[in-house]
Each structure stands twice: as structure tokens, then as C-alpha cells.
Amino acid sequence: MINLKGRDFLKLLDYTTEEIEYLIELAADFKAKKKAGIPHKLHEGKNIALIFEKTSTRTRCAFEVAAMDLGMGVTYLDPTGSQIGKKETIADTARVLSGMYEGIEYRGFGQEIVEELAKYSKVPVWNGLTNEFHPTQILADMLTVKEKLGRLRGVNFVYMGDARFNMGNSLMVGCAKLGLNFTACAPLKYFPDETLIDECEKIAAKTGATLRFETDPMKATAGADVIYTDVWVSMGEPAEVWRERITELSPYAVTERIMANTAEGSIFMHCLPAFHDLGTTIGKEIGEKFGLTSMEVEDSVFESEKSVVFDEAENRMHTIKAVIAATV
Ligand code: CP
Ligand code: NVA
């Protein structure tokens, strides 16, 4: 019997395969209940705090709706609206908030900050994205793969682009834990950190997962079941890196040619937000500056039948609900 009460959710490395599978199943159950209109206010009268030192649409809304569906109250602390880091340390913030709330979500910069928050908090702390990891996103992604492909084990999963930041790292860990065949497809310098690769290799040896690091997009994507990408410049990185990223990662953009190289029934995934057209301020500015109409994914792929990006976005809510419900 799996019991996660009181546990933090900081990175998937802290969870066993069975615990992660349990959270995905719990999320599927909550999703079915929500669709059927069956109330599930399991934590009525409790409250959670959401700390965002970086902006968000999905993660914030997912935590808020999930908490409200569970009967909980929510306080949102935006990147400018609290004392955190400016007048008050993370350790003091943890002790203040854990006296008032039953759980704390944190989105920000280094993984050490969320780990510090958890160290001083008496209530569960959930990682809503750091530079290194984005664990709640992976639960949503894996639920989506399971729904669309009917399985996780043995799925050929290819991540294209900057594989050394939060999404590349977390997807590699998630695939290793859940027995998928993970390929990072990027230039050498964008591969995940050696220490993390070693750790994932050890996990993979037990779960039957495989890890592969490939610089050639056509070799990497041949027969893939899932093609996943993320933005080339992440939140918190300086604007100056755009030029280098575009030069180095353009061959790794997800195009129709790439998708045509994949297995029958393959899907396209992206954690979002995505630069698939010039419909945003930054997309327009960067696109015009570098003569591009899209970046990490072509608009025709993003809008294609194979694209499951909005299912993934919805699943953020069901999976985050599972994390809150299980740990509070
Ligand atoms: N995928 C994701 O974390 O989206 P937000 O930045 O909108 O929360
Ligand atoms: N790598 C991206 C993920 C956004 C969900 C970022 O950190 O900005």
C-alpha cells in the first residue's frame, strides 16, 4: 500500500517507480471523477500557498483549480508580491508559511532553493519548476503518453533541443523510472550532466529503460513514438543567448520532415509555452530579428493531428491534484 502523506515532491529521483505510477493512476482516477461530475473535496478546510518567483500560466492554474476541487483555499504569491529573498530568507519563509498552510508550492531558480524550503517546512513542499527539474510536468506528460499510446514501458521517447535544463533532465529521469527508451537529440554541449546520466543509467538498469544520446536528428527520430521539445531559451536566462541557441539548435527543430521519420501513431509533445508562430511579443521580436517564422517546432506540426500539447496542459491539473491529495 503506497502512502505519501507528509512527503515533499521536489524531484522524481526522490520517488520510486511504484510511487510515480501510483500518482499517475490517482490522477487518472481524479480526471474520471471530474469528467463525471463526482465531487472529491478530500481536503476541505485546508489551505495551500503558491510561491512563484518566475511567471506561469499552466502550473499556477493547475495548482489553484486542483486545490479548489479538493475543497482547499489557495494563496498566490507572485514574483514581486512577497518578502521572499529580498527581506526574508527561504528558511524563515518556510517556517512562517508552514504555520498557516498545509502545503507549499515553489517555482523559481536553483533546485537548492526548493530543497532549502522543504528542509525548513513542516508541511509538504512541491516543486513547480526550478532550473534543474520540473517534476509535476513529467507526471502530466506520462499520463498523456499512457492515454494516447496505451503504455509507458518500451515507448521510444525522443527529446529534441536543450536537454541539459529542467525539461531534458526531468524527462530523462521520468523515462528511466518508468521504463521508456529515452533519446536526447541535441548538439553535444546540450546533453544532460554526466552525474545525472550516471544516476539515470543505474535506475534504467533496474526498470528496463534505455538511454541514448544522439546528435543526428534523423538517426534519433527514426521509429520514435514520442517527439518532445521545449523552448530554446528558458525563464531566467539572459536574452543574449538567443543568437547562439538559434544557431546551434535550429537543426533540432521539430519539422514535418522529422515527424515523417517517426513511427506510425507517433505523437508530438511540448510542455508549453511554445514558439510555433509569431503570435506573441517575444516570438515576433526574435522571429523578425533572426528571419524565422517558428523556433523549436513548426506551426504545421504544432497544429497537426499528432500534437497532444493541449491534453498535456489539461493533465497538469489532474496530476497536480494527485500530488496534493496524496501528500497533504
Ligand atoms: N508548462 C508549464 O510549466 O507552463 P507554465 O510556465 O505556464 O506554468
Ligand atoms: N524550460 C522552460 C520550461 C517552461 C515550462 C523554462 O524553464 O522556461
Side-chain angles (χ1 to χ4, degrees):
M1 181 63 192
I2 292 185
N3 182 356
L4 303 177
K5 295 284 171 226
R7 288 270 297 275
D8 299 313
F9 191 74
L10 305 179
K11 54 188 186 300
L12 291 179
L13 288 170
D14 303 335
Y15 276 63
T16 65
T17 297
E18 294 69 31
E19 288 168 344
I20 299 168
E21 285 169 349
Y22 166 78
L23 286 171
I24 295 169
E25 276 162 35
L26 185 61
D29 188 49
F30 278 131
K31 183 170 182 174
K33 283 200 169 73
K34 175 105 182 173
K35 304 277 172 204
I38 302 168
H40 41 278
K41 295 188 185 294
L42 305 179
H43 287 302
E44 198 128 39
K46 295 178 188 164
N47 298 287
I48 65 169
L50 311 180
I51 305 172
F52 280 83
E53 298 208 273
K54 289 175 178 170
T55 51
S56 167
T57 296
R58 275 148 293 274
T59 311
R60 176 191 174 176
C61 296
F63 268 97
E64 292 209 8
V65 173
M68 291 186 282
D69 283 355
L70 291 169
M72 307 173 101
V74 190
T75 303
Y76 170 67
L77 297 163
D78 79 6
T80 57
S82 75
Q83 314 283 24
I84 300 161
K86 298 174 278 290
K87 282 174 67 184
E88 195 154 35
T89 62
I90 285 294
D92 291 354
T93 304
R95 289 176 287 183
V96 169
L97 295 181
S98 53
M100 300 184 200
Y101 295 93
E102 275 78 24
I104 306 167
E105 179 274 358
Y106 175 85
R107 164 173 287 196
F109 298 87
Q111 179 71 16
E112 70 283 358
I113 305 172
V114 77
E115 303 271 352
E116 168 100 346
L117 189 67
K119 185 176 158 196
Y120 287 94
S121 169
K122 295 196 298 275
V123 299
V125 171
W126 308 299
N127 179 357
L129 179 147
T130 58
N131 293 345
E132 291 82 0
F133 295 113
H134 195 7
T136 62
Q137 177 72 49
I138 309 314
L139 294 181
D141 296 339
M142 292 300 174
L143 174 60
T144 311
V145 171
K146 214 173 158 189
E147 287 172 347
K148 300 293 173 189
L149 303 181
R151 67 193 196 285
L152 290 174
R153 273 173 214 281
V155 162
N156 294 321
F157 192 109
V158 181
Y159 177 83
M160 303 187 73
D162 185 354
R164 63 196 170 164
F165 214 74
N166 44 26
M167 285 311 304
N169 288 344
S170 305
L171 285 167
M172 178 171 71
V173 178
C175 287
K177 289 269 181 186
L178 297 170
L180 289 80
N181 301 319
F182 176 80
T183 302
C185 177
L188 280 180
K189 73 183 242 206
Y190 291 90
F191 286 159
D193 170 77
E194 284 294 335
T195 322
L196 185 63
I197 294 179
D198 288 348
E199 207 166 340
C200 288
E201 289 285 11
K202 288 193 194 107
I203 300 165
K206 289 190 216 137
T207 62
T210 61
L211 305 182
R212 182 166 66 130
F213 302 90
E214 178 58 66
T215 55
D216 181 333
M218 292 317 267
K219 274 193 201 156
T221 56
D225 299 308
V226 178
I227 300 291
Y228 199 115
T229 191
D230 181 19
V231 291
W232 290 339
V233 177
S234 286
M235 289 182 277
E237 295 199 282
E240 294 77 68
V241 300
W242 271 113
R243 181 177 297 279
E244 182 188 62
R245 291 292 159 78
I246 288 172
T247 312
E248 295 177 345
L249 294 176
S250 286
Y252 299 87
V254 182
T255 58
E256 285 187 40
R257 181 167 169 262
I258 291 286
M259 290 311 290
N261 194 38
T262 61
E264 203 180 325
S266 64
I267 54 176
F268 167 74
M269 303 182 75
H270 193 310
C271 54
L272 305 181
F275 288 118
H276 58 94
D277 62 16
L278 304 186
T280 63
T281 336
I282 299 177
K284 189 166 184 295
E285 186 190 311
I286 303 289
E288 282 172 359
K289 188 164 169 195
F290 295 99
L292 302 169
T293 51
S294 64
M295 278 181 262
E296 72 275 10
V297 54
E298 274 181 356
D299 193 50
S300 55
V301 172
F302 186 89
E303 296 293 353
S304 71
E305 296 260 297
K306 286 186 175 294
S307 174
V308 299
V309 298
F310 298 111
D311 299 277
E312 272 179 276
E314 178 190 325
N315 283 340
R316 297 297 309 286
M317 197 282 284
H318 306 299
T319 43
I320 282 173
K321 189 184 287 175
V323 173
I324 301 175
T327 56
V328 165

